[in-house]
């Protein structure tokens, strides 16, 4: 009997530990922003901006990343564009995946997303290239769906952009900028980093929200570069990006952003 009770106690402890670990894992997931909190951070602090150029990030509104439902959720959201991660199968088929190693027969073909986009003619597509094994086939697919003028590559690094140019790709490019926010971020350092990117003539830059500063945005704009913030998910980050004047907010909370703008407008009695 004593042995049985000890086994039960041990089992109970193990289950408790598992439960704690599971809850910790849940808490580590992206927390969606709160519209009222975003609006509260803007009202009285920032001149009103009817911010419309925001993008539904992969996995928006608590949907599963790299899934058909996730992409569809983005298309149905208030965002004017969706962002997808694209890799390729061994036969060159473009699919939603974070890497070549994660792309398999269970991955969602990009073609299925493009077919769905035909129902949303006003939406744009931002393609986060995870690898480049069949760029020619990817661009042909985009062209076949008549989405060349509605698509662009984002988060492209120097190695990828060189390959794109060698392949004579036609889609616009927004390059990643590896720069940290902080007191050491001075104008000369920012200009130096932007000049390295400018030689590739990108349309703009993509930076995590946490690394974007007013100085960075103004310097990039002076150089003719658009600024996209990515991983803009907390209430504070969304409010900050609107305040800083970025050109596009890529967020997993697109509907929250739109609702916050509406609350802000109502507070100022601004009519459509």
């Amino acid at each position: 009997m004593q042995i049985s009770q000890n086994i039960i106690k041990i089992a109970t402890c193990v289950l408790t530990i598992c439960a704690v670990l599971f809850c910790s894992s849940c808490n580590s997931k992206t927390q969606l922003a709160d519209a009222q909190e975003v609006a509260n951070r803007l009202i009285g602090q920032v001149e009103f901006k009817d911010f419309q150029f925001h993008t539904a990030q992969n996995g928006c509104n608590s949907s599963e990343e790299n899934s058909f439902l996730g992409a569809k959720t983005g298309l149905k959201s208030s965002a004017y564009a969706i962002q997808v991660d694209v890799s390729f199968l061994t036969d060159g088929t473009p699919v939603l995946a974070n890497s070549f190693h994660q792309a398999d027969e269970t991955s969602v073909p990009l073609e299925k997303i493009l077919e769905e986009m035909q129902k949303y003619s006003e939406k744009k597509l931002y393609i986060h290239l995870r690898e480049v094994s069949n760029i020619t086939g990817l661009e042909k697919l985009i062209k076949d769906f008549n989405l060349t003028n509605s698509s662009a590559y984002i988060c492209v690094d120097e190695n990828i952009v060189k390959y794109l140019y060698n392949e004579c790709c036609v889609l616009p490019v927004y390059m990643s900028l590896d720069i940290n926010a902080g007191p050491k971020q001075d104008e000369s350092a920012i200009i130096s980093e932007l000049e390295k990117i400018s030689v590739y003539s990108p349309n703009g830059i993509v930076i995590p929200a946490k690394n974007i500063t007013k100085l960075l945005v103004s310097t990039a704009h002076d150089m003719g570069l658009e600024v996209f913030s990515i991983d803009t998910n907390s209430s504070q980050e969304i409010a900050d990006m609107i305040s800083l004047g970025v050109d596009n907010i890529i967020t997993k909370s697109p509907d929250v952003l739109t609702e916050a703008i509406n609350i802000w407008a109502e507070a100022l009695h601004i009519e459509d």
Side-chain angles (χ1 to χ4, degrees), residues 76-92:
K76 287 184 174 181
S77 75
S78 60
Y80 96 118
I82 64 169
Q83 173 259 326
V84 296
D85 295 330
V86 171
S87 187
F88 302 87
L89 300 181
T90 54
D91 65 0

Side-chain angles (χ1 to χ4, degrees), residues 217-238:
V217 173
S218 62
T219 305
H221 284 169
D222 288 344
M223 296 178 70
L225 295 169
E226 296 178 58
V227 179
F228 287 15
S229 70
I230 196 167
D231 297 329
T232 319
N233 298 317
S234 72
S235 300
Q236 180 72 65
E237 288 168 338
I238 292 175

